[in-house]
Amino acid sequence: MLAGAVLLALTGAAAHAQPTGASSEIKALKSTVEELRKQLQELKKGNQPAATPALEQARVQELSKQLNELRDQLKRSQDGAAAATAPVPEGQEESQEALDARTPASKADIQGLRADMENYKYDQSRLQERNIPSVTRNTKIGGSLTLGYQTWGPSVPAGNTSAFGAEAAGQARKNGFTSPVLGLNFTGNLYRDYAEGRNLTYRLAFSSASNYGSSTNLSSASADGSQFNATDAYLRYSFQPASGNLEDPLGTITVGQQTVPFGLDAQALDPEVRAAISSATYVGGLGFNKRQIGVVVAGDIDPYVDFTNNYRAPLLSYAFGVYNGNGSNKQDNNSARDFSARLVYTLPVDYSSWFRQLQIGASFYRGYPTLNTATTSSAAAVYRKGNFDRTGFDINWTHLPFSVSYEWAYGKQDVQPLAANLLLNGDGEKRSVYQYVNFGYTWGEQFLSSSKQQGKFDDYWPKSYQAFLRFDSADPNRSATALDDKSLTTTAGLNVFFAETTSFKVNYVHVHNFYRAAPAVAGTPRGSNGIQAQFSATF
């Protein structure tokens, strides 16, 4: 009898658990009630051994207690649901969020949303087709703009082009704006090796410059005074996996037109990457102010890595190259190949050491130019293969805020066997010696790894300042017995880096020419002074 009463009560509780729009919690309670009902049915069937009335009474009481608790919980859930859907009291406005939550979307609303999405997709597709360039492979576009102004004294005579690479003119000049240098480059990945990181990349760069000037090596003039030529044009393959792990050694093969890995300053031909506005004198004096077409194998061995300071220093770096030797954008004019070799040793010390980033480098270049062997200017040209050697030694120490660099370069080459040349160089060989030392001090945060890794707001970038002093000695024809063309160039400069890719440089240049055997010639005084200013921006 008592079991039947409990069963009837449970059935009633199940009937109350059917409110319209019941929540998941209410459904869970109904499931629990149904489970209890099944247990009572099994108890009523009496399939188990007979239990004493006291035991049956205890079971029924326990089930009744659980039933009462479930009823209370179900009632609280129903009251909460009713309160949520209750109408807003009179005089009180319903919030827009609540109104939107209980307002169902109509079919027209859904169709309108779909139409708006399709229109947006169409507009974005048309915008990309008309206004955004696309390429077959991923490509990064960059460039640079370099503007300058210079003044010098004494003034450069008419027709002279020796001072600062100035163009010949009809009257003396003391100052003027320099021709702008505009660069444009494209870099990208032709093949990405996701398994081992042996990627194939490319670089194509162009530069415009004046027909006259030491920073370019353009042999012909155009009517408007400028040219636009290819500078870099090469493919690069990583035969050592470029996995991104700083502890892995690097190794690449570069095929095409590129800078020659010789010394320090000779590899900084682009004006935006040099500390001084003008290159060291050996760069132009020994013919390294131009790219060469060939193959270069470069890499490093046993790198030391400090992940805390984002510092990587390979114990030994190497670069070996084979070139046409005839300059950039030209076919070779003989069957001989030039070759170069460079090794750089980095002192293996910790990041905290004062000798950090102390590097010692040695470079060598052997060339085989085509030599005109006519003994007089009026005689028919007779050509043969000549040769020249370039040997370099450099030391570089960069330990912010201090930096010191020294380079020594020696050149020996055959000369055309004219009487005037043989008078100066009796053995038919011209020897040159160049060297410079540069002292720098940098203050600011732009070059600190911790600052580079910080997030920047908009185009903000911390400013940095760099002051330097360079002494540059040149002896272009040391073996000449009747000529003393040695010079000493002193350059003091201040560079301001006020954005990630933008800098402003001011250089004071003093050139002292040595003449022991003869007085100073016109246009090349014993001493001259100049001020150069340059603005450089890259993108």
Side-chain angles (χ1 to χ4, degrees):
M1 297 290 295
L2 186 56
V6 173
L7 179 61
L8 182 61
L10 289 173
T11 306
H16 282 288
Q18 305 294 331
T20 303
S23 65
S24 59
E25 183 180 3
I26 297 176
K27 292 180 180 180
L29 292 175
K30 288 172 58 180
S31 177
T32 304
V33 171
E34 182 65 22
E35 183 67 24
L36 289 174
R37 187 179 66 81
K38 291 180 179 180
Q39 293 182 18
L40 286 176
Q41 286 179 348
E42 293 177 358
L43 183 64
K44 183 178 179 181
K45 289 179 181 179
N47 294 333
Q48 302 177 350
T52 61
L55 181 59
E56 181 179 354
Q57 183 69 21
R59 290 180 177 176
V60 173
Q61 289 178 355
E62 180 64 24
L63 291 175
S64 299
K65 181 180 178 181
Q66 295 180 11
L67 177 61
N68 292 332
E69 293 177 353
L70 290 173
R71 280 179 175 176
D72 295 339
Q73 187 175 356
L74 180 62
K75 185 175 183 305
R76 289 193 298 270
S77 299
Q78 291 175 339
D79 293 342
T85 58
V88 179
E90 185 177 355
Q92 181 178 352
E93 295 184 0
E94 185 177 9
S95 64
Q96 185 63 40
E97 292 79 1
L99 182 63
D100 294 341
R102 66 182 184 85
T103 301
S106 64
K107 185 176 181 181
D109 293 335
I110 296 175
Q111 291 177 345
L113 179 60
R114 289 176 177 173
D116 291 341
M117 290 297 297
E118 291 298 324
N119 292 335
Y120 175 79
K121 289 164 58 179
Y122 174 78
D123 291 341
Q124 290 299 311
S125 177
R126 293 289 295 165
L127 177 65
Q128 184 172 3
E129 290 177 358
R130 290 179 296 177
N131 300 333
I132 301 177
S134 61
V135 294
T136 304
R137 303 291 301 182
N138 63 313
T139 299
K140 293 183 179 179
I141 303 176
S144 63
L145 174 63
T146 304
L147 305 173
Y149 183 86
Q150 57 191 10
T151 178
W152 54 88
S155 59
V156 180
N160 186 275
T161 62
S162 60
F164 305 109
E167 181 179 356
Q171 61 181 6
R173 304 174 309 279
K174 284 189 174 181
N175 50 58
F177 293 98
T178 61
S179 59
V181 179
L182 176 64
L184 184 64
N185 63 79
F186 304 86
T187 58
N189 203 315
L190 294 177
Y191 172 73
R192 184 179 295 277
D193 185 357
Y194 293 96
E196 298 183 353
R198 304 180 189 275
N199 302 325
L200 179 64
T201 61
Y202 72 92
R203 175 177 170 84
L204 180 62
F206 301 89
S207 178
S208 69
S210 169
N211 295 314
Y212 305 88
S214 59
S215 63
T216 61
N217 192 43
L218 307 177
S219 58
S220 60
S222 61
D224 59 358
S226 65
Q227 290 187 349
F228 190 72
N229 279 8
T231 54
D232 295 332
Y234 60 74
L235 299 177
R236 176 169 291 168
Y237 173 71
S238 299
F239 64 87
Q240 290 278 27
S243 60
N245 185 3
L246 298 180
E247 294 180 328
D248 292 341
L250 300 178
T252 61
I253 300 176
T254 306
V255 182
Q257 185 167 290
Q258 57 197 294
T259 57
V260 177
F262 185 99
L264 300 174
D265 213 63
Q267 300 185 66
L269 294 182
D270 298 324
E272 67 271 11
V273 298
R274 290 196 306 261
I277 294 177
S278 299
S279 299
T281 53
Y282 88 87
V283 176
L286 296 181
F288 290 113
N289 57 339
K290 54 188 175 183
R291 269 80 168 178
Q292 295 287 357
I293 303 173
V295 179
V296 175
V297 179
D300 55 39
I301 299 173
D302 192 17
Y304 167 76
V305 178
D306 186 341
F307 290 97
T308 303
N309 298 282
N310 193 25
Y311 173 72
R312 183 182 188 274
L315 181 66
L316 185 66
S317 300
Y318 60 88
F320 305 97
V322 179
Y323 320 92
N324 282 345
N326 199 37
S328 58
N329 305 308
K330 298 177 183 178
Q331 295 286 351
D332 201 359
N333 58 359
N334 58 31
S335 298
R337 301 282 83 81
D338 296 2
F339 64 89
S340 70
R342 175 167 172 79
L343 295 176
V344 179
Y345 172 78
T346 304
L347 203 65
V349 297
D350 294 335
Y351 181 83
S352 58
S353 173
W354 269 96
F355 295 100
R356 179 187 77 229
Q357 203 62 22
L358 177 60
Q359 298 178 332
I360 302 174
S363 306
F364 179 77
Y365 188 98
R366 165 63 65 88
Y368 299 97
T370 299
L371 187 64
N372 183 359
T373 60
T375 57
T376 62
S377 58
S378 60
V382 179
Y383 297 101
R384 69 171 177 85
K385 183 178 71 174
N387 65 77
F388 65 83
D389 294 336
R390 308 285 189 251
T391 305
F393 171 79
D394 57 86
I395 298 178
N396 181 64
W397 177 65
T398 301
H399 188 111
L400 290 178
F402 306 102
S403 63
V404 179
S405 59
Y406 169 79
E407 277 199 79
W408 175 87
Y410 173 80
K412 184 178 69 172
Q413 65 187 57
D414 294 338
V415 298
Q416 184 181 355
L418 296 174
N421 294 338
L422 295 177
L423 180 62
L424 296 176
N425 306 97
D427 60 354
E429 291 186 341
K430 175 184 175 181
R431 297 168 180 84
S432 308
V433 178
Y434 300 86
Q435 57 184 328
Y436 77 85
V437 60
N438 187 93
F439 303 95
Y441 183 83
T442 304
W443 66 98
E445 299 180 352
Q446 178 166 344
F447 300 102
L448 300 178
S449 300
S450 57
S451 177
K452 292 180 180 180
Q453 296 172 358
Q454 292 177 357
K456 305 298 187 298
F457 174 75
D458 197 13
D459 196 33
Y460 167 77
W461 195 263
K463 296 181 178 62
S464 289
Y465 304 87
Q466 181 183 64
F468 71 89
L469 181 63
R470 186 175 73 181
F471 301 96
D472 193 332
S473 173
D475 193 352
N477 197 345
R478 188 177 190 180
S479 57
T481 58
L483 176 66
D484 190 353
D485 55 353
K486 185 178 180 180
S487 65
L488 176 63
T489 303
T490 303
T491 306
L494 176 65
N495 303 329
V496 182
F497 303 91
F498 51 89
E500 182 180 6
T501 59
T502 308
S503 64
F504 180 74
K505 304 176 182 179
V506 178
N507 290 181
Y508 166 76
V509 182
H510 173 74
V511 181
H512 178 73
N513 297 299
F514 296 88
Y515 297 98
R516 291 196 300 266
V521 297
T524 310
R526 290 188 182 276
S528 60
N529 300 279
I531 296 178
Q532 299 172 298
Q534 184 183 86
F535 173 85
S536 179
T538 61
F539 60 89

